[in-house]
Amino acid sequence: MASTIKVDKLDPQSGTALEIGTSGDTVTVPSGVGLTLTDSTLLLPTTVTATTEVKTNKISPATGVAFTLGDSGDTFTVPSGATIVNSGTATGFGGAGKILQVVPVVWKTNHSSTDSNGTFDDITDATATITPSSTDSLIWFNAMITTGCQTYSPFLKIQLGGSDIAGALGQVEGSRTVMTAMSVGGTSDNAEMQSTYISYVDSPASTSALTYTVQGSGRAAGTWTVNYPYDNNDYNYNGHAISTITLLEIDGS
């Protein structure tokens, strides 16, 4: 039997609990009808079944500032076509060691210099800039510098913002030149080139734009080159190469 009861308010007969229906009953709120809670708490079931769909514009923690979604072992699926937008700080996705961004630089520009005896100069185009997302981030510097020379292969070192990186230089001893790396020794064939790999992990503790540069210096009087041989005559036994820098931001938290 269908009946309609119209009242302005329902109160429990005793105590503070009001129960509607009996186990197994279905209480339906028809389309177009709204339930309004004013300064109240809506208590949901402790278990939401797989067929239950909850639509809301915002979910906030009941108390404190921590909100937990699911339990250990649960899987949450973002369906195809859906987008998650983060306007805050995302943490805990993989932890320390995760690669956060990669900045690659490749150049073919020829470079030559005749400086010597520990005078370092910036190598043309040997520069890359990265902006870390956190002060905890590490910057993994990788470079492959291809050099030629008239007599001796050059010294190489990396700088950050125009200044030496103390941890990227060798041990200070006497008048010896400290550097990051050096191409494989000199050659009597001026048509030869060497590719030198440099790898260093920096801890800049910064979220500002960071510019890393590779510098070179001749070991003695004579010209050294980058990306082409000293003997650059137009023969097929002479080659032109590339050099590269790659900066990777690593989660160091």
Side-chain angles (χ1 to χ4, degrees), residues 46-214:
T46 56
T47 301
V48 178
T49 65
T51 58
T52 302
E53 181 178 6
V54 178
K55 293 184 177 181
T56 180
N57 292 326
K58 183 179 180 181
I59 301 176
S60 297
T63 58
V65 294
F67 178 77
T68 301
L69 190 63
D71 296 308
S72 176
D74 290 346
T75 299
F76 292 89
T77 302
V78 178
S80 175
T83 302
I84 296 178
V85 178
N86 174 43
S87 299
T89 301
T91 60
F93 292 91
K98 181 180 179 182
I99 296 177
L100 302 178
Q101 63 169 312
V102 178
V103 175
V105 173
V106 179
W107 75 94
K108 302 179 182 180
T109 311
N110 291 340
H111 174 101
S112 65
S113 181
T114 56
D115 61 10
S116 61
N117 298 324
T119 302
F120 284 88
D121 296 312
D122 291 350
I123 296 176
T124 305
D125 291 334
T127 183
T129 300
I130 190 170
T131 304
S133 59
S134 170
T135 55
D136 292 328
S137 293
L138 306 176
I139 304 301
W140 185 10
F141 176 97
N142 293 272
M144 181 193 71
I145 311 297
T146 303
T147 62
C149 61
Q150 182 181 11
T151 306
Y152 297 104
S153 298
F155 300 143
L156 301 171
K157 72 175 178 179
I158 60 177
Q159 286 195 324
L160 171 58
S163 300
D164 291 344
I165 304 172
L169 296 176
Q171 178 179 329
V172 177
E173 186 176 346
S175 60
R176 296 167 179 81
T177 301
V178 292
M179 71 198 81
T180 306
M182 189 187 81
S183 294
V184 177
T187 172
S188 59
D189 186 348
N190 294 332
E192 290 187 3
M193 293 185 293
Q194 305 285 352
S195 293
T196 301
Y197 178 67
I198 301 173
S199 178
Y200 179 74
V201 177
D202 192 21
S203 305
S206 173
T207 55
S208 300
L210 305 173
T211 298
Y212 291 85
T213 304
V214 180

